[in-house]
Amino acid sequence: MSADVISIPRAALHEQVAMRLRQMLVEGRIAPGAKLNERELSEVLEVSRTPLREAIKMLAAEGLVELLPNRGAVALSLTEQDVANTFEVMAGLEALSGELAARRITAAELAEVRAMHFEMLAAYTRGDLSAYYRINAQIHRAINAAAKNPVLTATYNQVNARLQALRFRSNQDGEKWKRAVKEHEQMIDALAAGDAAAMRGVLLTHLENKRDVVLEQLRREAAARAAGARR
């Protein structure tokens, strides 16, 4: 007995490469500002350069990668002011998503968000930050989808792409991660109650807390670099 060989369409291959490369960028395995070395990445991802280049173009369109003249592709690097400005916009988008979702979410959508929430809690209990972040992002996207506003969703996706790596890092402190989980529990309660004001409030707080954590991390890293340069 022999199995049929199923070829992977070209489009599917570069999308798979983009997914793996996106994870490397979000989780910091490729540092902000680092050049994406095509030869090394081809070896690590075990693909030819053609689908890799197509994947890089996808991530550039998302905002995770910048295509610079004479430098090629580099991982997005944001200044402290960039981060503050982007989180300010993102907090407003998340708050509006939550407010509208509380009014418009269906019973089936709420059940799906609850299921993802319990899955996320399991990842938190295991200390599995990678799985936690992946499910966390799915929950936020599901809340945005439940708002049922395609213009809001398009804007949300565009701005959120710039913050993915920073949102991942914001949960690396134990106490702050615990606080983020508590805020997610409050989101579920507000959604279930159809409380638009509470949902807006908790999402604003959630994003502002993440912003503060990220800015604190960036300042510590800048201070460490400055101290190292003085030695």
Side-chain angles (χ1 to χ4, degrees):
M1 182 182 292
S2 62
D4 292 334
V5 175
I6 302 173
S7 62
I8 300 175
R10 185 181 199 82
L13 179 58
H14 84 255
E15 287 168 3
Q16 288 179 27
V17 174
M19 181 177 67
R20 293 170 65 191
L21 191 54
R22 187 183 297 109
Q23 186 175 9
M24 293 171 71
L25 289 160
V26 168
E27 296 185 3
R29 284 179 275 166
I30 299 173
K35 187 177 188 306
L36 274 62
N37 186 302
E38 288 187 5
R39 181 182 58 78
E40 291 180 3
L41 287 171
S42 290
E43 292 175 0
V44 169
L45 299 173
E46 299 180 335
V47 293
S48 68
R49 292 197 183 187
T50 299
L52 175 62
R53 286 170 180 163
E54 290 172 352
I56 288 172
K57 287 178 185 175
M58 280 182 64
L59 298 181
E62 291 178 14
L64 276 172
V65 169
E66 293 180 292
L67 301 177
L68 302 179
N70 305 318
R71 283 199 66 194
V74 299
L76 177 68
S77 179
L78 298 175
T79 67
E80 186 177 314
Q81 191 59 55
D82 288 335
V83 170
N85 291 341
T86 308
F87 265 105
E88 187 172 60
V89 173
M90 198 66 211
L93 295 172
E94 290 269 18
L96 180 57
S97 294
E99 181 180 350
L100 294 177
R103 295 174 182 161
R104 300 173 180 174
I105 196 165
T106 66
E109 287 169 335
L110 178 58
E112 182 63 22
V113 172
R114 279 189 189 278
M116 287 189 286
H117 176 70
F118 289 127
E119 200 179 338
M120 187 190 75
L121 289 180
Y124 169 70
T125 301
R126 296 194 306 270
D128 186 344
L129 182 57
S130 181
Y132 175 92
Y133 175 79
R134 175 178 52 79
I135 302 162
N136 180 298
Q138 289 172 353
I139 291 170
H140 281 271
R141 284 196 297 270
I143 291 170
N144 175 267
K148 299 176 177 63
N149 184 318
V151 176
L152 176 60
T153 294
T155 309
Y156 173 93
N157 289 338
Q158 182 182 14
V159 178
N160 191 45
R162 293 167 58 84
L163 293 178
Q164 286 186 67
L166 297 174
R167 291 179 79 152
F168 177 85
R169 290 175 58 192
S170 70
N171 289 321
Q172 291 176 347
D173 177 289
E175 280 305 308
K176 294 179 176 67
W177 190 5
K178 183 178 179 181
R179 180 179 65 189
V181 170
K182 181 65 177 175
E183 289 163 356
H184 266 263
E185 290 171 351
Q186 292 168 354
M187 288 176 212
I188 299 297
D189 291 342
L191 273 178
D195 190 336
M199 193 62 177
R200 180 179 184 84
V202 70
L203 275 159
L204 272 175
T205 299
H206 189 63
L207 267 291
E208 287 168 355
N209 285 339
K210 284 190 175 295
R211 175 203 62 199
D212 293 346
V213 172
V214 168
L215 289 175
E216 182 185 331
Q217 288 173 335
L218 291 176
R219 288 164 187 154
R220 279 203 309 264
E221 290 166 5
R225 285 194 300 271
R230 289 195 296 268
R231 288 174 187 163

